[in-house]
């Protein structure tokens, strides 16, 4: 009831966002730590399938051996957010929030705070709302404690495996792109920076976006997922 009241008496959404590949890496490490400390039964099968880190997990998924197929199917469903079998934050992705926010209220305005540019975005948002944009703790480093994980935090992901993930979670990336483009507190340069950095990370070469204004003609991640580029990532040689 509270959520419905808020949706019906507001006209703006504020999203905290993180570059989608970094979000997946962080989610895997967070829930692996949670499982290591608490041995949650509901995550048992997932972390028995994939105990050695996200990069090894994607290697297995790309090998697609018949003997590993039950694990790879589970891995695909978890990373796409179709099940919380690897941890609830996999399922609470951009698709999840899209369905009852801009999916149902497309005319609402959107503001974002990017994890990578947190204080810059908070400052700009404060100024857009009529404030001074002055914060006592601006610029200080804030973490959620990953540096203290029992299992060391691992952000390593090979370039081919990164591309595979970009193809796999293209729906989520598409919504991330929508949020960046719709945000009223980011200027054109900031939007272009976030989108072009992601495309570079997904190994999308310049010829595919040559002449395209990413702020006017957005990139189709669905078409990308169906291209020969993505098909080539599915088999690990």
């Amino acid at each position: 009831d509270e959520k419905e009241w808020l949706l019906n008496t507001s006209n703006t959404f504020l999203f905290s966002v993180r570059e989608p590949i970094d979000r997946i890496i962080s989610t895997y490490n967070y829930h692996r730590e949670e499982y290591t400390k608490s041995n949650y039964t509901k995550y048992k099968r997932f972390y028995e399938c994939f105990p050695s880190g996200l990069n090894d997990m994607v290697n297995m998924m790309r090998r697609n051996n018949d003997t590993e197929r039950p694990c790879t199917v589970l891995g695909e469903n978890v990373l796409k957010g179709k099940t919380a079998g690897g941890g609830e934050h996999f399922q609470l992705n951009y698709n999840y929030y899209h369905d009852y926010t801009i999916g149902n209220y497309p005319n609402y305005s959107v503001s974002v705070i990017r994890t990578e540019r947190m204080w810059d975005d908070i400052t700009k948002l404060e100024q857009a709302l009529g404030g001074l944009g002055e914060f006592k703790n601006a610029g200080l480093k804030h973490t959620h404690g990953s540096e203290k994980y029992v299992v060391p935090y691992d952000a390593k992901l090979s370039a081919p495996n990164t591309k595979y993930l970009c193809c796999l979670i293209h729906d989520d990336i598409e919504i991330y792109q929508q949020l960046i483009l719709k945000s009223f507190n980011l200027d054109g340069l900031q939007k272009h920076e976030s989108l072009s950095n992601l495309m570079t990370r997904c190994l999308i070469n310049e010829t595919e976006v040559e002449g395209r204004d990413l702020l006017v003609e957005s990139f189709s991640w669905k078409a990308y997922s169906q291209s020969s580029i993505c098909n080539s990532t599915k088999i690990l040689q």
Side-chain angles (χ1 to χ4, degrees):
D1 290 342
E2 291 174 350
K3 184 169 72 175
E4 288 301 315
W5 180 85
L6 282 169
L7 288 168
N8 291 326
T9 57
S10 306
N11 62 7
T12 300
F13 294 119
L14 169 61
F15 293 90
S16 174
V17 302
R18 187 172 189 175
E19 190 262 276
I21 301 302
D22 279 341
R23 194 191 77 80
I24 288 287
I25 293 171
S26 178
T27 300
Y28 174 90
N29 283 289
Y30 170 78
H31 283 301
R32 182 178 61 167
E33 175 74 2
E34 187 180 34
Y35 172 74
T36 301
K37 285 184 175 180
S38 306
N39 197 26
Y40 283 172
T41 304
K42 59 184 177 180
Y43 303 159
K44 183 177 177 65
R45 183 176 168 226
F46 181 81
Y47 289 99
E48 284 181 345
C49 279
F50 310 111
S52 304
L54 187 62
N55 198 62
D56 285 346
M57 173 184 174
V58 177
N59 281 337
M60 181 192 292
M61 292 167 66
R62 291 177 60 208
R63 280 196 303 269
N64 201 23
N65 292 340
D66 288 341
T67 56
E68 298 172 332
R69 188 63 183 159
C71 283
T72 60
V73 170
L74 173 63
E76 288 176 2
N77 287 332
V78 167
L79 293 182
K80 289 180 178 179
K82 292 183 177 181
T83 173
E88 63 180 6
H89 289 293
F90 284 110
Q91 200 166 33
L92 299 176
N93 57 15
Y94 295 122
N95 266 298
Y96 173 86
Y97 291 105
H98 171 271
D99 288 346
Y100 69 84
T101 57
I102 61 174
N104 276 333
Y105 300 86
N107 294 326
Y108 278 30
S109 58
V110 169
S111 57
V112 303
I113 295 173
R114 300 167 296 170
T115 301
E116 303 85 0
R117 298 284 187 270
M118 185 177 73
W119 283 113
D120 290 342
D121 293 349
I122 290 175
T123 298
K124 287 284 181 65
L125 180 58
E126 172 75 0
Q127 292 170 342
L129 295 173
L132 297 177
E134 296 176 356
F135 295 93
K136 182 178 180 181
N137 294 321
L140 293 182
K141 182 178 180 181
H142 295 267
T143 77
H144 54 47
S146 59
E147 68 277 4
K148 299 177 183 177
Y149 281 0
V150 173
V151 181
Y153 188 92
D154 184 5
K156 294 177 182 177
L157 202 61
S158 72
N161 286 352
T162 300
K163 185 165 65 171
Y164 174 89
L165 274 184
C166 292
C167 298
L168 185 70
I169 64 167
H170 64 91
D171 284 340
D172 226 38
I173 294 178
E174 193 88 52
I175 294 169
Y176 169 82
Q177 178 174 262
Q178 288 179 31
L179 296 176
I180 294 294
L181 290 173
K182 287 173 68 72
S183 59
F184 68 79
N185 62 306
L186 300 184
D187 60 31
L189 194 61
Q190 292 169 315
K191 293 177 182 181
H192 190 276
E193 175 193 40
S194 290
L195 297 179
S196 61
N197 285 348
L198 175 59
M199 294 173 75
T200 298
R201 189 170 189 184
C202 291
L203 303 181
I204 298 171
N205 60 50
E206 294 181 2
T207 58
E208 293 184 61
V209 293
E210 188 175 356
R212 180 198 299 264
D213 184 344
L214 296 177
L215 307 185
V216 177
E217 183 189 0
S218 58
F219 184 76
S220 173
W221 289 93
K222 181 177 181 179
Y224 168 75
S225 72
Q226 298 169 346
S227 69
S228 58
I229 298 171
C230 284
N231 288 333
S232 69
T233 70
K234 295 178 181 178
I235 300 176
L236 181 62
Q237 302 295 334

